[in-house]
Amino acid sequence: MPDTLLPAIELQTGHRPIASVIWLHGLGADGNDFVSVVRELKLPDSLPLRFIFPHAPMRPVSVNGGHVMRAWYDLSQGPSGMKSNENDIRASQSEIYKLIEREISRGVASDKIILAGFSQGGVITLQAGLRYERKLNGIIALSTYLAMHDSLEKEATEVNKNIPIFMAHGEQDNVIQLSIAEKSREVLQKHGYQPDWHQYPMPHSVCMEEIEAISAWLQKQVG
């Protein structure tokens, strides 16, 4: 098991969890951001899961005036729009791999581990999940986009080539526009993935209909 891990909040929905969900928050939030979702998922007692909500590292974020906040990577304004710091993304990818390895050491098989993330967290979820060297159970990518897609063909692992992907986005999202998420979906499809796509009349957030869809998807994946 790795010596150092990101600090995280953990919740179990029952004894002896049969699967783990590592859920990453968005820019400026922390692991508490999605803790309440566990209750809202209304999972059956027969499906004990462990939820892990890590806190991203504190770092200055260029697009926010260099203010230090929890962020999975730095964002800056480039000539063609927002630019994601690739070194930071890869560093966060490695931190998520440590959390996956810890779950494996606790007796959860890799193919019973799901990566979930919102916004920046979703970027890391896609980055890590598509490149992990052991088979994972699935990816939940919410209000997010696919970064570093130019390296995907070279770095994607064959074992996760058919990984189930739940993607959802708000039609009124003014932080990450719907068109950006749709382009990410198209890139994934071009590489042979088949994202389960959902869109909702909401801003950069989550809604109850989306949570219900995630619950149904989770139950299908690990039930």
Side-chain angles (χ1 to χ4, degrees):
M1 185 174 72
D3 293 330
T4 58
L5 295 168
L6 290 173
I9 298 165
E10 287 193 13
L11 289 177
Q12 289 188 187
T13 62
H15 297 295
R16 297 184 181 178
I18 63 170
S20 296
V21 182
I22 301 172
W23 199 312
L24 281 57
H25 61 78
L27 174 64
D30 64 18
N32 290 285
D33 208 30
F34 283 90
V35 169
S36 63
V37 168
V38 175
R39 183 180 64 255
E40 294 168 351
L41 289 170
K42 297 180 180 178
L43 297 170
D45 294 338
S46 59
L47 191 67
L49 302 181
R50 178 184 294 127
F51 286 85
I52 299 144
F53 300 96
H55 304 299
M58 299 291 289
R59 69 173 87 243
V61 178
S62 300
V63 76
N64 287 341
H67 290 298
V68 175
M69 61 189 66
R70 292 202 181 277
W72 297 106
Y73 53 90
D74 186 27
L75 271 174
S76 57
Q77 185 69 46
S80 59
M82 290 294 178
K83 182 179 180 182
S84 307
N85 186 297
E86 294 189 0
N87 289 334
D88 290 351
I89 289 175
R90 291 195 185 277
S92 291
Q93 174 185 348
S94 295
E95 292 299 323
I96 300 313
Y97 286 169
K98 292 179 185 178
L99 292 174
I100 294 173
E101 289 159 14
R102 195 263 300 268
E103 289 311 291
I104 293 171
S105 75
R106 291 162 126 182
V108 179
S110 68
D111 62 1
K112 290 294 184 181
I113 298 173
I114 291 170
L115 300 183
F118 174 81
S119 195
Q120 265 206 357
V123 169
I124 303 304
T125 289
L126 287 166
Q127 173 75 16
L130 301 177
R131 292 166 172 80
Y132 191 59
E133 293 184 350
R134 300 195 206 187
K135 184 176 177 60
L136 295 170
N137 185 275
I139 292 171
I140 300 173
L142 309 176
S143 301
T144 192
Y145 61 95
L146 180 69
M148 298 175 59
H149 53 80
D150 290 343
S151 67
L152 182 58
E153 183 172 1
K154 179 181 179 181
E155 297 176 357
T157 55
E158 189 65 30
V159 71
N160 284 308
K161 196 64 179 176
N162 297 314
I163 189 169
I165 303 172
F166 180 103
M167 291 188 77
H169 214 90
E171 295 166 352
Q172 286 98 46
D173 194 326
N174 61 356
V175 177
I176 300 171
Q177 294 181 350
L178 178 63
S179 60
I180 294 174
E182 290 174 329
K183 178 63 177 177
S184 294
R185 178 190 62 186
E186 291 168 6
V187 172
L188 288 169
Q189 290 171 331
K190 180 182 176 182
H191 284 85
Y193 301 97
Q194 297 180 326
D196 181 6
W197 175 261
H198 303 256
Q199 64 186 63
Y200 303 96
M202 66 179 183
H204 193 63
S205 61
V206 295
C207 64
M208 187 53 64
E209 185 180 356
E210 178 183 16
I211 291 172
E212 290 170 353
I214 293 169
S215 177
W217 186 88
L218 273 173
Q219 292 178 58
K220 178 182 176 182
Q221 282 302 115
V222 298

